[in-house]
Amino acid sequence: MIKTSEHAPKGIIKFVLSLVISLTIFLWSLDLMTETFQIIGNDTVIRLLDIISNPFVSLFIGIFITAVIQSSSTSTSLIVAIVASGSLPLQNAVPMVMGANIGTTLTSTIVSLSYITNNKEFKNAIATGVMHDFFNILTVTILFPLEWNYHILTELSQDITHFVGFKNKTATDVAVTHSGLFDYINNYLIGITSFKPLLILLSTASLFGSIKIMSKTISNRMIGTMREKFESVFFKNNFNAFSLGAILTAVIQSSSISTTVIVPLGATGKIKLEKIFPYIVGANIGTTITALIAAVNKSEAAMNIALVHFLFNLIGTVIFLLTPGIKKIPVIYAQKFGSMTMRYKIIGFFYILVVFFILPLSLIFLGKL
């Protein structure tokens, strides 16, 4: 017992230091990325805008990038930084955020394929994994046309920022007035680097790494202590399940992790799909916190795109979790897909290749022609 008490403070100190260091790297990488995009040159910006001016291409870029790096927190933070730099108009960024929501679901779907040797568990695992996919795909199906034609998410986010009195900063204002904490490092790196895209790669890698460190540090500490309580307490009702998904994901900053840990419980049938679904929806809400943090002290447009991410998931929650007659659709289709994949296992692999890679890459390529 003495050894336990001696090691406990060391564990807490290590935990806090890991969080402080990773959060510092996260904020620094966002600052560096924003500054670099501001000076990278008009030609590069024009080429970027040409590619993503088509909303369909922008949507599938969001899907593909997030599927590859497996972190919607990272991809949405990247989008916030680019919008904050003034290089990416808000309306062009909205489809990318929608795509990021779909791309992040790949991890849980891949994990579900590991149950392929047991038909019953495989059926439940696939259904659990794709339920997250279907929620986001159906939400995009509803909101993408409305945003394309009426800009409802763009205008609603702008109304909210004006209502709460968020200070209207331009990209130039951000360059002048942002926190000076990282100024010396950023100015030094910009000064010694002739090929500025290298700084984009550096800041992207640092951003991705910092989020991974935060996710691993917190998930190891929290999820391990929660496993025994998952079924008896956290899934007692829809509110508990939703709250757990939202809070856990907001803390560990990774919906990929929080939705993946639930796949084994769904596969073994310990928790029914109807109870898991509110947890997954809550995870979608929780993952929007990272972008909101990234947008603080940035431009108004950056806060707008962070709010778009939140509003997208909030509206999806209202439609598919609270609306009678509609809220069961993702669960029903996930169950049917699970049954179909159990009979024809190749469908699961084909689904992943087409939805997350072949279709996005095809449309991105066609959009450049």
Side-chain angles (χ1 to χ4, degrees):
M1 292 181 66
I2 294 176
K3 290 185 178 181
T4 302
S5 62
E6 287 177 348
H7 285 293
K10 292 182 179 179
I12 294 173
I13 292 173
K14 184 179 179 180
F15 173 73
V16 172
L17 282 176
S18 297
L19 287 184
V20 171
I21 292 171
S22 56
L23 182 59
T24 302
I25 295 173
F26 173 78
L27 295 173
W28 163 71
S29 59
L30 285 172
D31 265 16
L32 177 60
M33 189 180 301
T34 301
E35 287 189 49
T36 306
F37 268 110
Q38 287 171 349
I39 63 174
I40 204 167
N42 290 331
D43 292 340
T44 304
V45 172
I46 290 171
R47 286 197 297 270
L48 174 66
L49 294 180
D50 285 341
I51 294 172
I52 61 177
S53 59
N54 184 320
F56 285 99
V57 174
S58 182
L59 173 70
F60 284 99
I61 287 176
I63 294 175
F64 179 71
I65 291 175
T66 310
V68 171
I69 65 177
Q70 268 311 282
S71 174
S72 63
S73 297
T74 302
S75 57
T76 51
S77 296
L78 286 170
I79 295 169
V80 166
I82 299 172
V83 170
S85 72
S87 302
L88 179 63
L90 179 62
Q91 291 182 359
N92 288 15
V94 172
M96 292 182 70
V97 169
M98 293 184 180
N101 263 62
I102 295 176
T104 194
T105 65
L106 175 62
T107 304
S108 57
T109 307
I110 290 177
V111 169
S112 67
L113 293 177
S114 64
Y115 292 84
I116 196 168
T117 56
N118 185 315
N119 273 350
K120 184 178 179 181
E121 289 189 354
F122 184 61
K123 172 186 174 182
N124 292 334
I126 285 290
T128 303
V130 300
M131 195 159 52
H132 193 195
D133 306 5
F134 290 172
F135 168 76
N136 284 300
I137 290 171
L138 288 170
T139 304
V140 168
T141 302
I142 294 171
L143 293 182
F144 181 78
L146 293 175
E147 173 63 25
W148 189 8
N149 290 295
Y150 305 107
H151 309 298
I152 61 167
L153 292 176
T154 302
E155 293 185 4
L156 185 56
S157 68
Q158 291 173 333
D159 289 342
I160 291 174
T161 54
H162 292 160
F163 178 77
V164 299
F166 187 85
K167 187 177 179 181
N168 187 10
K169 295 180 181 180
T170 65
T172 304
D173 293 331
V174 174
V176 174
T177 64
H178 68 74
S179 171
L181 182 62
F182 308 115
D183 280 355
Y184 178 80
I185 298 174
N186 291 346
N187 291 337
Y188 176 75
L189 290 173
I190 291 171
I192 66 171
T193 307
S194 57
F195 187 62
K196 295 301 185 283
L198 281 178
L199 296 180
I200 298 296
L201 294 176
L202 172 63
S203 57
T204 301
S206 300
L207 183 69
F208 180 73
S210 64
I211 290 177
K212 282 296 182 183
I213 292 171
M214 279 189 279
S215 298
K216 186 175 181 179
T217 300
I218 301 175
S219 63
N220 287 345
R221 192 170 186 87
M222 292 188 64
I223 295 177
T225 62
M226 291 182 175
R227 289 188 185 277
E228 298 300 323
K229 299 180 181 180
F230 260 39
E231 183 179 1
S232 60
V233 177
F234 297 124
F235 289 89
K236 186 176 181 180
N237 54 53
N238 287 351
F239 177 77
N240 285 10
F242 175 85
S243 300
L244 173 65
I247 295 172
L248 183 61
T249 307
V251 172
I252 66 177
Q253 296 195 23
S254 175
S255 60
S256 297
I257 293 177
S258 58
T259 54
T260 297
V261 298
I262 207 67
V263 171
L265 296 178
T268 56
K270 289 184 178 180
I271 302 177
K272 295 182 179 179
L273 291 181
E274 292 81 359
K275 292 185 177 181
I276 292 176
F277 183 61
Y279 169 89
I280 289 174
V281 175
N284 267 38
I285 294 290
T287 197
T288 64
I289 299 300
T290 308
L292 290 169
I293 293 173
V296 174
N297 291 328
K298 302 294 182 185
S299 64
E300 182 181 356
M303 180 56 70
N304 285 336
I305 194 62
L307 283 172
V308 164
H309 190 206
F310 172 75
L311 291 169
F312 171 86
N313 287 289
L314 179 63
I315 294 172
T317 298
V318 172
I319 294 173
F320 292 109
L321 193 61
L322 301 177
T323 307
I326 298 178
K327 62 183 182 180
K328 294 183 179 180
I329 291 177
V331 178
I332 292 172
Y333 277 98
Q335 289 171 329
K336 290 182 177 180
F337 187 83
S339 299
M340 183 173 60
T341 307
M342 182 184 67
R343 291 194 298 271
Y344 309 102
K345 293 182 172 59
I346 191 65
I347 291 177
F349 296 95
F350 187 72
Y351 166 80
I352 289 175
L353 286 175
V354 171
V355 172
F356 296 101
F357 298 103
I358 296 176
L359 185 58
L361 282 174
S362 298
L363 288 178
I364 293 170
F365 175 76
L366 291 173
K368 293 180 180 180
L369 297 179

